[in-house]
Amino acid sequence: MSTRMRSRFVLGAALALVALLLPACAGLPTSGDVAVGLELGESPDDVDVLPVASGPVAGAGPEEIVEGFLEAGITTSDNWATAREFLAPPLQRSWRPSAGVSIDAGPEARTFTSDLADDQVEDAEEAEVQVLLELVASVDDSGAYSGAPGDSSVPFALARGEDGEWRITEAPDGVVIDQSRFPNVFEGYSLQWFDARWSRLVPDMRWFPRRQSPATTVTQALVSGTPAEWLDPAVQTAFPADVQLAQDAVLITGQAAEVALTRPAASLDDTTLARMRTQLQATLKAAGVNVTQVRFSVDGRALDAGVVDVVGTTPEPGTLVLKDGRFGRIVGDEIASIPGISAQIQAVPQPISAIDVAADDATAALQLNDGHVYLATEDARNELDARPGLVQPSLDPYGYVWSVPAGAPQALLAVGPDVVGHEVAGAWPNASAISDIRVAADGARVAAVVRVGGQLWVVVAAIVRDGAGVPTELGEVRQLIQLTEPSTGLVWLGPDRLAVLTDSTTPRLIVQPVGGPASAESAPSDAASIAGARTPAGVRILDTTGQLFAHAGSAWREIAEEVSVLATRAGE
């Protein structure tokens, strides 16, 4: 037996990417032309071309065939036709690349082990090859992304064909993609689900092969799919289980998406149809599809579907600060007061450490230097939580202030406008400490930075509410990213991304999609607190000296000084 660490086997113009495993039952969509997709929210103009891998090289040995098979994973066209060329005919037909994606550290970190010595390959008819992968994440058959660090050993069986060439006879379903190239081959799309009250839409990011038009991909995933398991307790879909797409493709006519549905859709009531249309239109818009309406039909007959009102995003609030004893928005060199709450905040007799303002500007959650949490309105300032060691509070869209002690993550309270506290069950059951908490603008998700078994994690969970909207419990905790240093702030950047400010000699700003790979950049020196925004460009960072910074391209520029508190906006 020979064991060797092999360098990447370059196949023509193939780039360093791959294809492999993950068992599953359903499949990722594979129909349609292939082209490089876009960043979330970008224009579909000027799309680049995907890299193309080459097929098998004549005379290649077992390990080279396996390595070439992995390389061919970058070419998703025709249901991974290039990768299938490395397979024996029976496996070509049964192999399911759409079963999922394993994302590994890269070809250089893979170890190939064969049961044949070099001098045995020429006379052998069969071979076995094990590939040791250094996994960093995975995507399941529904397109849901999750971190999955650790090593994985993957077996392959090979045999010589009638032409004497080695081909793979046994291989796991699914593909493997290099983490550096994964975003070049797969694109993240946010499916939209309704919250439990049919009043707001909640995003759920999924990853599918890049293509020129995602309309069919996301429509199939929304109509036939279900929410991510961790998110499911807080959301619902308007599409009944017996309603499916009647055609494999969604046609775009002008700026209208033509969606043919199966016959059960013909008997649906107006409210259900309107919710279906609203949900799908929002999903297509989030995917960057240039449509202004969705038109449903059954057996060629148009269905009259309206739309329903949902709570949308509020206008950008601007930068909210407490400076020179005044609280409000920065407007040029001035601080513009917020009617009602500015006067209440300015009248607080002791220093303020944190301010979170409601989306409608009517209330604000405050944490004073004594650590206690208060609710400020135009008419009053009420103490909500006086427990020791509280983290900074977070307002949700229903007016509840979320508060928790840093050393007791399970002791989570949501205090309503009536100043009545409600215990939230199931809060981070395995955590020993918590440093940050932020409720999303939809009120269906809460993010936090917690300590679990000595490790720091950014996590997210669904919020379960009763019929009156009172938070009652959290769903399954979903780990997003492990931190290597403590955090000094956690905020939302739009509906589906988080930003974490870390505390170290060189502070970092980590942008973490909820269901996708993270990115990081340097933050200003001595960064101390952060305020979220609709986009990463709107982030504001305050340092320990009172200097306030905003993005200026890839750098940071000072926009104000002598700022006492950088306030946040509920849901950001």
Side-chain angles (χ1 to χ4, degrees):
M1 177 180 295
S2 65
T3 301
R4 294 171 293 178
M5 173 72 79
R6 303 190 59 88
S7 62
R8 185 177 57 173
F9 182 56
V10 180
L11 299 176
L15 298 180
L17 279 174
V18 292
L20 195 70
L21 23 303
L22 276 184
C25 46
L28 298 173
T30 57
S31 59
D33 296 332
V34 178
V36 171
L38 308 165
E39 292 295 326
L40 290 172
E42 282 189 346
S43 167
D45 299 334
D46 301 323
V47 200
D48 294 330
V49 179
L50 278 176
V52 177
S54 300
V57 173
E63 293 184 37
E64 286 80 8
I65 289 295
V66 172
E67 193 167 5
F69 170 71
L70 300 183
E71 294 282 353
I74 61 173
T75 306
T76 63
S77 57
D78 297 326
N79 198 15
W80 281 269
T82 301
R84 292 181 190 275
E85 295 178 18
F86 292 86
L87 307 178
L91 188 57
Q92 286 181 353
R93 295 185 292 271
S94 62
W95 178 61
R96 297 181 297 116
S98 57
V101 185
S102 290
I103 304 168
D104 77 339
E108 296 80 6
R110 297 175 193 151
T111 302
F112 292 76
T113 304
S114 173
D115 66 339
L116 298 177
D118 289 342
D119 58 1
Q120 296 174 319
V121 172
E122 184 174 350
D123 297 327
E125 295 295 324
E126 296 181 344
E128 294 182 358
V129 174
Q130 293 275 344
V131 183
L132 182 64
L133 302 173
E134 184 181 333
L135 296 182
V136 297
S138 66
V139 174
D140 66 18
D141 63 310
S142 72
Y145 180 105
S146 61
D151 293 340
S152 177
S153 183
V154 185
F156 292 86
L158 299 93
R160 288 190 187 274
E162 294 181 357
D163 58 359
E165 298 291 345
W166 288 99
R167 292 295 181 264
I168 299 169
T169 56
E170 295 181 19
D173 290 326
V175 298
V176 171
I177 302 291
D178 183 320
Q179 66 173 341
S180 66
R181 303 295 184 177
F182 172 74
N184 297 337
V185 183
F186 280 73
E187 174 76 7
Y189 302 104
S190 288
L191 306 184
Q192 303 291 314
W193 311 103
F194 277 100
D195 67 359
R197 308 180 79 181
W198 301 106
S199 62
R200 290 173 168 83
L201 290 169
V202 183
D204 181 6
M205 188 177 290
R206 305 297 176 89
W207 292 82
F208 302 117
R210 286 181 179 266
R211 58 200 63 227
Q212 290 179 337
S213 172
T216 297
T217 300
V218 298
T219 301
Q220 287 175 339
L222 185 71
V223 174
S224 303
T226 57
E229 186 175 353
W230 71 268
L231 184 60
D232 186 68
V235 298
Q236 56 188 331
T237 182
F239 289 88
D242 59 351
V243 173
Q244 301 292 317
L245 291 182
Q247 298 177 358
D248 290 337
V250 172
L251 302 179
I252 305 298
T253 304
Q255 290 185 306
E258 307 287 350
V259 181
L261 301 174
T262 52
R263 291 180 177 177
S267 60
L268 296 177
D269 60 85
D270 291 346
T271 299
T272 300
L273 285 172
R275 287 170 175 167
M276 288 164 52
R277 179 183 169 190
T278 302
Q279 187 179 350
L280 181 53
Q281 284 184 177
T283 296
L284 291 171
K285 180 181 179 181
V289 180
N290 186 25
V291 297
T292 57
Q293 64 173 313
V294 168
R295 294 199 287 247
F296 293 133
S297 65
V298 173
D299 292 335
R301 181 176 62 86
L303 298 180
D304 186 13
V307 294
V308 296
D309 292 330
V310 294
V311 178
T313 57
T314 57
E316 283 282 3
T319 304
L320 304 174
V321 299
L322 180 63
K323 173 179 163 60
D324 298 328
R326 293 183 57 81
F327 177 75
R329 296 180 179 87
I330 294 180
V331 180
D333 295 330
E334 303 293 328
I335 303 297
S337 296
I338 299 174
I341 62 169
S342 282
Q344 191 66 248
I345 291 172
Q346 290 161 189
V348 174
Q350 64 173 292
I352 300 173
S353 59
I355 305 171
D356 194 30
V357 180
D360 61 2
D361 288 342
T363 60
L366 311 178
Q367 186 176 37
L368 306 189
N369 269 17
D370 62 8
H372 297 185
V373 170
Y374 296 77
L375 181 66
T377 66
E378 183 176 2
D379 302 321
R381 184 175 67 252
N382 296 307
E383 186 177 75
L384 305 183
D385 196 348
R387 293 176 294 174
L390 297 173
V391 305
Q392 293 183 1
S394 178
L395 264 168
D396 77 12
Y398 299 97
Y400 291 89
V401 177
W402 293 61
S403 182
V404 63
Q410 293 76 38
L412 178 63
L413 282 182
V415 186
D418 56 1
V419 197
V420 175
H422 303 271
E423 294 182 0
V424 182
W428 310 290
N430 299 320
S432 59
I434 182 170
S435 61
D436 301 274
I437 179 174
R438 292 301 291 170
V439 180
D442 49 55
R445 299 164 297 159
V446 59
V449 176
V450 298
R451 182 174 294 277
V452 180
Q455 298 177 340
L456 288 175
W457 283 91
V458 178
V459 299
V460 68
I463 299 173
V464 180
R465 299 176 185 266
D466 64 16
V470 178
T472 58
E473 64 178 312
L474 299 188
E476 170 194 345
V477 175
R478 182 74 162 186
Q479 293 180 332
L480 298 181
I481 186 173
Q482 183 179 350
L483 301 179
T484 57
E485 56 270 325
S487 67
T488 57
L490 173 71
V491 293
W492 287 90
L493 299 180
D496 48 22
R497 302 185 193 193
L498 292 162
V500 187
L501 184 63
T502 64
D503 182 18
S504 63
T505 304
T506 305
R508 292 191 305 155
L509 177 66
I510 300 172
V511 176
Q512 173 64 60
V514 180
S519 61
E521 62 176 300
S522 296
S525 300
D526 302 318
S529 62
I530 182 173
R534 302 283 186 268
T535 66
V539 168
R540 299 292 185 262
I541 291 178
L542 182 67
D543 72 7
T544 55
T545 68
Q547 292 180 300
L548 184 63
F549 295 87
H551 263 124
S554 59
W556 295 93
R557 65 181 177 89
E558 181 186 320
I559 60 173
E561 57 185 8
E562 298 181 351
V563 172
S564 303
V565 179
L566 173 61
T568 53
R569 170 74 70 173
E572 294 182 350

